[in-house]
């Protein structure tokens, strides 16, 4: 009988290509492809330090990831094998909330994950955000952002300050991005659902740094993504390269003079990597390759791998790019190249200040009443904006977005109802421990009444149940070991559950 889901082989043509490119190193590469995929855990430094997390981690942590201070590698689970994948080529390279690693605990389902204390990601996929090196207070664009692996890293590196626009073109994927950003609790992220052309038409050369983590053929994910193996063909590589050139061409218009553009993929194919950059350099002479500092094991960019170099003079500066390989680093495959736009380039951005409405007098009164009664922290009044019935806390120096499709213009604080204000889930995750008056703190290790029908209180809360708990009536922050998780409202000794239905996992 045939097995239900046979593991597809790695395409032979791909292996031939890699043998040709890698020469003597090919044997080590081929052996590494037979190994287990590597997973990593990046700590949310907006909430705690990696050292603090190490002390409370319920998951056995491996070594620190050399190129990402906030991250640890995770030991693959014994016996774990690559599974089938339903991901499309554009979705590859993202661990998201996968259950891999973690010595028996599913790290993607642990309450600390629900509290946004960490993000699960292939260590190699952590490199691009680090290499882009965004600074607090800057204007940064993540042009192809879903599901948010790199957005969350960028937000943490920016310490939640400045402006980070996280854009995703696909309607179906933008919701997942929003959930990951909300869980992260960053105060400087605007989520848009746009095509790159419309962003470039609106903003022009506005951003200090732009990340293009491009949709690709996913060769670097062959150990973990069986769909990538199945879909791969030379035609697909060629098709991806055309799309990548189109995206990068538009991205180049969004960078201010003197700003930086980082291009990354999770594939090895030079057609999708060095050659895409080379085309951009031909079309935009104001850009140059900005050599990236590598880490031990990173391979430099390979201008000698470009087909066209057989005819043309090699573009040696492309060696300033980096490529990560599983035989060289503890991670999957990735490519990154940084470009710098000349200070002298033309570029006056036509952006305007935001045009969102400030709260009306009535709304301000309702918000202040809520904040006075429930919160122990303040929000700058000049960053409060209303959209529909919702109140948002917008990033510093927020620009106008005109007719662009903005999914969230900042942190959704809550909704104005008749004569009252109701807090939203993202507000709970944005708050730090100690910033709310009434807290119901649940333990991540409490067993609960297992013999009866009741689940442990934490599981019950995350599963949507109300909890009996005496205390001050009104809005109550529910936390796990002190870390905010969501809202409840206490009425007559019962904390009514306000954990969003879509987030409930138990
Ligand atoms: N940066 C993400 C992360 O770290 O979680 C992963 C991005 S994934 C590799 C590439 C993204 O590009 C996908 O979300 C896909 O929907 C998006 N995409 C596909 N076609 C695009 C296009 N023409 N322009 C912009 N983005 C596109």
């Amino acid at each position: 009988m045939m097995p239900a889901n046979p593991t597809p082989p790695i395409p032979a043509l791909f292996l031939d290509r890699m043998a040709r490119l890698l020469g003597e190193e090919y044997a080590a590469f081929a052996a590494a492809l037979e190994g287990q995929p590597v997973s990593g855990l990046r700590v949310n430094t907006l909430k705690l330090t990696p050292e603090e997390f190490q002390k409370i981690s319920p998951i056995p942590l491996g070594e620190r990831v050399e190129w990402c201070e906030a991250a640890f590698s995770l030991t693959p689970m014994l016996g774990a094998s690559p599974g089938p994948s339903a991901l499309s080529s554009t979705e590859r390279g993202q661990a998201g909330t996968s259950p891999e690693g973690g010595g028996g605990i599913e790290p993607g389902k642990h309450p600390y994950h629900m509290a946004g204390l960490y993000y699960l990601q292939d260590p190699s996929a952590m490199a691009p955000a680090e290499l882009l090196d965004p600074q607090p207070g800057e204007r940064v664009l993540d042009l192809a952002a879903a599901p948010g692996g790199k957005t969350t890293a960028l937000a943490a590196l920016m310490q939640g300050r400045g402006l980070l626009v996280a854009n995703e073109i696909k309607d179906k994927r933008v919701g997942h991005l929003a959930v990951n950003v909300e869980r992260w609790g960053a105060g400087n992220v605007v989520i848009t659902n746009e095509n790159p052309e419309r962003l470039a038409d609106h903003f022009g050369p506005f951003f200090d740094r732009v990340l293009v983590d491009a949709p690709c053929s996913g060769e670097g994910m062959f150990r973990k993504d069986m769909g990538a193996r199945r879909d791969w063909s030379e035609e697909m590589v060629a098709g991806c390269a055309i799309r990548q050139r189109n995206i990068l061409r538009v991205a180049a218009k969004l960078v201010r003079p003197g700003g930086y553009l980082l291009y990354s993929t999770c594939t090895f194919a030079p057609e999708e990597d060095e050659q895409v950059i080379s085309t951009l350099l031909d079309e935009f002479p104001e850009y140059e390759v900005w050599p990236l500092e590598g880490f031990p094991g990173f391979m430099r960019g390979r201008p000698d791998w470009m087909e066209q170099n057989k005819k043309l003079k090699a573009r040696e500066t492309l060696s300033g790019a980096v490529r990560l390989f599983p035989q060289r680093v503890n991670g999957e495959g990735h490519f990154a190249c940084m470009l710098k736009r000349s200070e002298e380039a033309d570029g006056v951005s036509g952006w305007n200040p935001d045009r969102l409405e400030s709260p009306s007098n009535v709304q301000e009164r309702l918000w202040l009443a809520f904040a006075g009664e429930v919160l122990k922290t303040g929000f700058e009044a000049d960053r409060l904006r209303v959209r529909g019935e919702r109140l948002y806390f917008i990033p510093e120096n927020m620009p106008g977005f005109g007719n662009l499709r903005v999914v969230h213009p900042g942190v959704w604080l809550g909704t104005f109802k008749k004569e009252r204000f109701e807090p939203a889930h993202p507000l709970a995750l944005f708050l730090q421990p100690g910033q709310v008056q009434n807290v119901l703190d649940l333990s991540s290790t409490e067993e609960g009444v297992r013999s009866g029908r009741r689940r442990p209180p934490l599981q019950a809360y995350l599963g949507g149940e109300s909890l009996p708990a005496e205390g001050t009536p009104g809005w109550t922050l529910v936390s796990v070991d002190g870390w905010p998780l969501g809202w409840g409202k206490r009425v007559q000794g019962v904390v009514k559950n306000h954990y969003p239905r879509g987030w409930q996992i138990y």
Side-chain angles (χ1 to χ4, degrees):
M1 212 166 72
M2 288 282 286
N5 248 323
T7 303
I10 294 181
L13 194 52
F14 161 77
L15 293 174
D16 288 349
R17 280 164 54 99
M18 293 311 291
R20 224 173 30 246
L21 294 174
L22 284 170
E24 282 182 2
E25 198 173 331
Y26 175 72
F29 173 69
L33 285 187
E34 299 294 318
Q36 292 293 318
V38 179
S39 173
L41 179 154
R42 183 164 41 74
V43 177
N44 185 351
T45 53
L46 295 172
K47 295 183 191 259
L48 75 176
T49 65
E51 292 72 27
E52 285 164 342
F53 183 76
Q54 241 174 335
K55 288 190 198 133
I56 60 166
S57 178
I59 303 149
L61 300 174
E63 297 191 337
R64 292 289 269 264
V65 174
E66 224 170 324
W67 49 91
C68 179
E69 264 181 41
F72 301 87
S73 55
L74 293 180
T75 321
M77 273 194 292
L78 273 182
S81 62
S85 161
L87 295 184
S88 76
S89 63
T90 56
E91 297 161 338
R92 290 194 174 111
Q94 311 313 317
T97 56
S98 82
E100 66 203 274
I105 294 176
E106 285 194 32
K109 288 196 171 170
H110 193 276
Y112 288 176
H113 187 258
M114 302 297 143
L117 300 195
Y118 57 83
Y119 192 93
L120 299 168
Q121 193 175 31
D122 153 32
S124 296
M126 296 174 190
E130 299 289 326
L131 295 169
L132 182 60
D133 193 26
Q135 301 298 308
E138 285 187 331
R139 300 162 175 173
V140 178
L141 169 65
D142 185 355
L143 190 59
K150 288 160 191 107
T151 302
T152 52
L154 295 170
L157 291 166
M158 296 171 77
Q159 297 168 19
R161 295 185 29 220
L163 170 72
L164 173 55
V165 177
N167 180 65
E168 170 55 42
I169 192 169
K170 297 207 173 158
D171 301 5
K172 275 199 191 140
R173 287 169 60 79
V174 79
H176 198 180
L177 170 66
V179 165
N180 281 329
V181 167
E182 284 167 1
R183 191 186 285 135
W184 206 242
N188 64 339
V189 186
V190 175
I191 299 177
T192 56
N193 178 204
E194 272 300 348
N195 68 53
E197 288 81 4
R198 275 175 47 92
L199 289 174
D201 287 347
H202 179 77
F203 284 111
F206 174 68
F207 294 94
D208 297 302
R209 294 174 205 253
V210 173
L211 174 63
V212 177
D213 188 33
C216 70
S217 61
E219 295 172 354
M221 295 296 124
F222 277 172
R223 291 202 298 194
K224 63 201 288 179
D225 184 352
M226 299 306 108
R229 295 184 184 192
R230 268 190 223 105
D231 294 348
W232 188 91
S233 67
E234 284 196 305
E235 293 70 39
M236 185 204 191
V237 168
C240 285
I242 294 171
R243 180 161 55 170
Q244 289 151 349
R245 283 201 289 269
N246 289 337
I247 298 173
L248 199 56
R249 199 174 272 137
V250 178
K253 298 179 188 158
L254 283 153
V255 179
R256 69 155 168 85
Y260 296 88
L261 173 59
L262 192 119
Y263 174 77
S264 62
T265 69
C266 59
T267 205
F268 306 116
E271 296 91 326
E272 298 182 59
D273 294 341
E274 283 87 349
Q275 276 179 218
V276 170
I277 302 289
S278 185
T279 307
L280 184 94
L281 295 171
D282 288 342
E283 291 178 11
F284 291 79
E286 74 260 36
Y287 276 95
E288 61 175 328
V289 173
W290 194 251
L292 288 170
E293 200 191 309
F295 284 84
F298 285 23
M299 186 189 274
R300 308 260 23 132
R302 298 295 297 261
D304 56 312
W305 281 6
M306 295 196 305
E307 276 298 308
Q308 64 204 49
N309 273 342
K310 295 193 180 126
K311 288 179 255 143
L312 301 173
K313 184 171 158 285
R315 206 186 272 276
E316 286 307 328
T317 57
L318 280 168
S319 61
V322 292
R323 202 181 255 104
L324 285 71
F325 278 98
Q327 78 276 19
R328 288 171 162 248
V329 298
N330 196 22
E332 306 309 304
H334 238 80
F335 171 86
C337 183
M338 180 91 108
L339 299 157
K340 185 174 183 353
R341 191 163 189 219
S342 155
E343 298 280 357
E344 276 82 50
D346 284 347
V348 181
S349 168
W351 74 278
N352 297 304
D354 87 277
R355 296 250 166 80
L356 290 169
E357 280 177 39
S358 296
S360 66
N361 289 343
V362 173
Q363 289 169 328
E364 192 175 296
R365 181 173 55 73
L366 292 175
W367 158 250
L368 289 176
F370 167 84
E373 197 181 308
V374 176
L375 305 180
K376 289 205 251 174
T377 183
F379 284 79
E380 293 139 82
D382 63 350
R383 287 174 61 188
L384 297 177
R385 294 289 186 283
V386 175
R387 200 170 71 163
E389 299 304 312
R390 292 178 171 194
L391 183 68
Y392 280 94
F393 185 55
I394 62 167
E396 297 163 336
N397 301 320
M398 167 106 150
F401 279 75
N403 294 326
L404 295 175
R405 293 201 337 180
V406 175
V407 178
H408 283 301
V411 181
W412 177 22
L413 298 180
T415 305
F416 294 106
K417 306 265 167 147
K418 238 188 199 168
E419 273 310 299
R420 68 192 162 86
F421 177 83
E422 193 164 286
H425 190 60
L427 169 60
L429 291 161
F430 178 65
L431 293 165
Q432 300 284 339
Q435 292 186 332
V436 176
Q437 306 274 3
N438 294 326
V439 175
L440 173 63
D441 191 36
L442 305 175
S443 161
S444 64
T445 49
E446 191 180 336
E447 286 291 309
V449 191
R450 283 201 185 278
S451 50
R453 284 174 60 200
R454 259 182 47 212
R455 301 190 274 184
L458 181 58
Q459 246 188 35
Y461 176 71
L462 292 173
E465 285 180 34
S466 294
L467 301 172
E470 291 301 333
T472 315
W475 288 109
T476 301
L477 184 77
V478 181
S479 59
V480 51
D481 303 337
W483 299 102
L485 264 182
W487 293 107
K489 194 169 188 186
R490 194 182 264 120
V491 181
Q492 293 176 345
V494 174
V495 173
K496 297 249 169 83
N497 195 304
H498 282 256
Y499 199 69
R501 204 176 286 274
W503 291 52
Q504 293 169 13
I505 55 162
Y506 293 110

